[in-house]
Amino acid sequence: MVQREGAPGPPPPPPARRCPLSVEPLLFLAMFALALQGPLSTQYLWDRLGAQIGYNGTRERGCGNQSGPRDPLQQEVETMTAHWNLYINLGGFLAGLFSVMLLGPWSDSVGRRPVLILPAIGLALQAAIYLVVMYQKLHVGYFLVGRVLSGLSGDFNMILAGCFASIADTSDRRSRTFRVAILEACLGIAGMLASIIGGHWRKAQGYINPFWLVFAVNLVMLLYAIFCVQESVREKKPMKLFTSRHYMSVFRLFTEPGENKHRAKLCLYALALLLVVTVHFGAKDLFVLYELSSPLCWGSDLIGYGLAAEHLTYLSSLGGLRALQVCFRDTWVAEMGLVSNISGLVVISVATTTSLMFTGYGIRFLAMATTPVIRSKLSKLVDEKEQGALFASVACIEGISSLVSTGVFNSLYPATLTFMKGFPFLFGGLVLLIPVAIIGLIEICKPKPVYREFTEASIN
């Protein structure tokens, strides 16, 4: 059949689906490996550094009457472990900051799959290097080599950014918030399972075997990214990777004026996300320390239940978000999540009994409903060709939040022990009042549709 000149041709065939699965399992696997690796590597550093200086003791739980001075060797091990953790994490963050800001905008042109495959390779290499260090008992500084290699390939933050960008590509504006919440629920479930498995396995068999699981999970994640993740970018085009245009695209995202003050809203929502995630990471870092010491004096079993309750917040927030969306706009669901978070932190700040501590966990049942709403709001403020740049900047914001929270909350906790042990949690609740104000003001000041003009246009 001859086609007439100028006549529309047949529609192009749909792209072949590699596998009818989305990015949720990929993020689950990445988070599982990360949550399993973190505590194991910290405990390995503790034991290796302790052995180097001749320390064979264990950390004090803080619930006895310790009238004598603390063991100076233990203090030295604590300091050395904290310093090496800082060096390793800072090295990975700085390398990742360079690569994520490069790979995120690049994925807007070449697609999401390449930026999901690259960090999976880097994470697998990092786990392999860690295993070599453990088997050969090399200097712990080689951990930094593995961490930097993983950071240069994008690290976990690039997987996070790529998955959220892929969801933004494939979801409509109405369902996007819930799809983002599902991704965050994957983070919570994976973290909970890894915490339970890693603790018991390390106690039974040491470090090597659990780290083989980390390596295996990273390999499965790589295979899944190669063979099962469907490309979500509709119109791919070749683009150079090493060019300053990618960094400029992230810069322009927040500086160029947009329609209806979209760029101003983008900056405000980014500030709100920075504060929410900073409080989340800061409080999470202190929960176990707060529970170990007096007056709670929890054992390992209650610590496990507390971690489970913290991670279950992801699931309860997912269910609450879905239910509340029937009656309320996403903005007000985010505000309810912040109120839930603030109330729970206030209760935890004065918790002196186990029941009161779990009451605080229970009140925070909606705490994780805020971040998916903010991510969804951010993605709706930019063009579909800017999603990679947006979520790359969001990943960097979360990396900065992690560093800030570690410095602020871990410094605030010992400084306030003399007058209020739970003050850091109260401080976190006060900080969250700023996102409450930001999100509320954006919603209140949002321009209302002009129905009269629409009616007059319909009549004419």
Side-chain angles (χ1 to χ4, degrees), residues 201-383:
W201 200 353
R202 182 259 178 243
K203 186 176 182 180
Q205 296 185 351
Y207 306 99
I208 302 294
N209 289 340
F211 244 97
W212 273 112
L213 178 60
V214 174
F215 180 66
V217 170
N218 284 322
L219 287 181
V220 172
M221 177 177 62
L222 174 60
L223 294 174
Y224 185 91
I226 294 173
F227 296 109
C228 293
V229 172
Q230 182 184 3
E231 182 55 68
S232 60
V233 175
R234 298 178 183 178
E235 299 179 1
K236 296 192 296 181
K237 57 182 179 180
M239 174 67 69
K240 290 183 179 180
L241 174 59
F242 297 102
T243 172
S244 60
R245 291 177 57 185
H246 300 316
Y247 296 105
M248 292 303 299
S249 64
V250 175
F251 178 74
R252 288 194 301 267
L253 202 64
F254 293 92
T255 56
E256 286 189 352
E259 185 181 357
N260 295 328
K261 299 181 180 179
H262 281 186
R263 302 309 182 189
K265 293 179 183 178
L266 203 66
C267 294
L268 288 173
Y269 277 127
L271 175 60
L273 182 66
L274 173 71
L275 295 174
V276 171
V277 176
T278 298
V279 172
H280 171 70
F281 284 146
K284 191 175 181 180
D285 285 345
L286 295 182
F287 279 147
V288 173
L289 184 60
Y290 187 72
E291 294 158 356
L292 280 171
S293 55
S294 62
L296 293 176
C297 297
W298 282 9
S300 59
D301 53 347
L302 282 176
I303 292 290
Y305 293 137
L307 287 171
E310 168 64 16
H311 285 103
L312 280 174
T313 306
Y314 287 89
L315 290 179
S316 60
S317 297
L318 176 64
L321 175 66
R322 190 62 168 176
L324 290 171
Q325 279 183 319
V326 177
C327 304
F328 300 97
R329 293 180 180 179
D330 287 352
T331 298
W332 304 124
V333 177
E335 295 284 61
M336 293 178 193
L338 286 169
V339 171
S340 171
N341 201 351
I342 293 170
S343 303
L345 289 174
V346 170
V347 171
I348 289 174
S349 71
V350 296
T352 55
T353 63
T354 297
S355 58
L356 193 58
M357 189 70 187
F358 277 106
T359 299
Y361 279 131
I363 293 174
R364 296 180 71 248
F365 78 101
L366 204 59
M368 298 308 298
T370 304
T371 48
V373 172
I374 297 178
R375 293 183 201 270
S376 177
K377 293 284 188 182
L378 286 168
S379 71
K380 294 174 185 178
L381 289 172
V382 301
D383 188 77

Side-chain angles (χ1 to χ4, degrees), residues 168-181:
D169 294 335
T170 57
S171 61
D172 55 36
R173 297 174 67 87
R174 190 172 185 178
S175 64
R176 188 169 303 169
T177 301
F178 186 66
R179 291 289 305 278
V180 171

Side-chain angles (χ1 to χ4, degrees), residues 357-425:
M357 189 70 187
F358 277 106
T359 299
Y361 279 131
I363 293 174
R364 296 180 71 248
F365 78 101
L366 204 59
M368 298 308 298
T370 304
T371 48
V373 172
I374 297 178
R375 293 183 201 270
S376 177
K377 293 284 188 182
L378 286 168
S379 71
K380 294 174 185 178
L381 289 172
V382 301
D383 188 77
E384 63 177 9
K385 296 181 180 180
E386 298 175 314
Q387 297 294 332
L390 170 69
F391 284 105
S393 63
V394 168
C396 292
I397 288 172
E398 294 187 345
I400 294 171
S401 298
S402 178
L403 291 178
V404 171
S405 66
T406 300
V408 172
F409 281 80
N410 283 282
S411 300
L412 197 60
Y413 184 76
T416 57
L417 283 174
T418 54
F419 66 91
M420 185 179 180
K421 184 179 178 181
F423 180 79
F425 303 116

